[in-house]
Amino acid sequence: MTYSLVQLAPGAYDLLLDGELMGSVVRSGYRTTDTIWTAELLEDLPVGKRPAPFKEIEHSFPTLEGVCAWLGDPVVKSNFGRSAFARSACEI
């Protein structure tokens, strides 16, 4: 299973698993203090059907780097600031 993140805006990412949207990664809190990054599944799947490494519907981390390490260092792409045409041309 291969995860990837697609940045939608600063602090907001779609989480894809093998190219399919399955969750999100978002930042909450103030940018320099009390920041929490949360990886969250879109569906409330039973524990046995959640993709690894998800044991809960959401998991929180102090940094984006921590989320990425936990997900197995996914490819991170940015759609932030691009036109709809440029986003549609972006390969994931």
Side-chain angles (χ1 to χ4, degrees), residues 14-54:
D14 276 345
L15 176 60
L16 290 83
L17 177 60
D18 295 329
E20 292 190 39
L21 181 64
M22 50 80 57
S24 63
V25 173
V26 296
R27 179 184 64 212
S28 59
Y30 192 69
R31 288 185 184 198
T32 58
T33 60
D34 302 322
T35 299
I36 296 173
W37 287 88
T38 303
E40 181 178 18
L41 294 173
L42 293 177
E43 290 186 55
D44 187 1
L45 299 170
V47 175
K49 295 195 177 199
R50 294 178 189 155
F54 283 90

Side-chain angles (χ1 to χ4, degrees), residues 41-92:
L41 294 173
L42 293 177
E43 290 186 55
D44 187 1
L45 299 170
V47 175
K49 295 195 177 199
R50 294 178 189 155
F54 283 90
K55 295 186 190 287
E56 304 292 332
I57 297 301
E58 63 180 47
H59 294 268
S60 296
F61 301 85
T63 64
L64 179 59
E65 291 79 11
V67 176
C68 288
W70 180 72
L71 291 170
D73 297 316
V75 171
V76 180
K77 296 195 176 207
S78 178
N79 278 341
F80 180 62
R82 290 179 162 166
S83 69
F85 177 79
R87 284 193 302 271
S88 68
C90 180
E91 248 185 41
I92 296 176

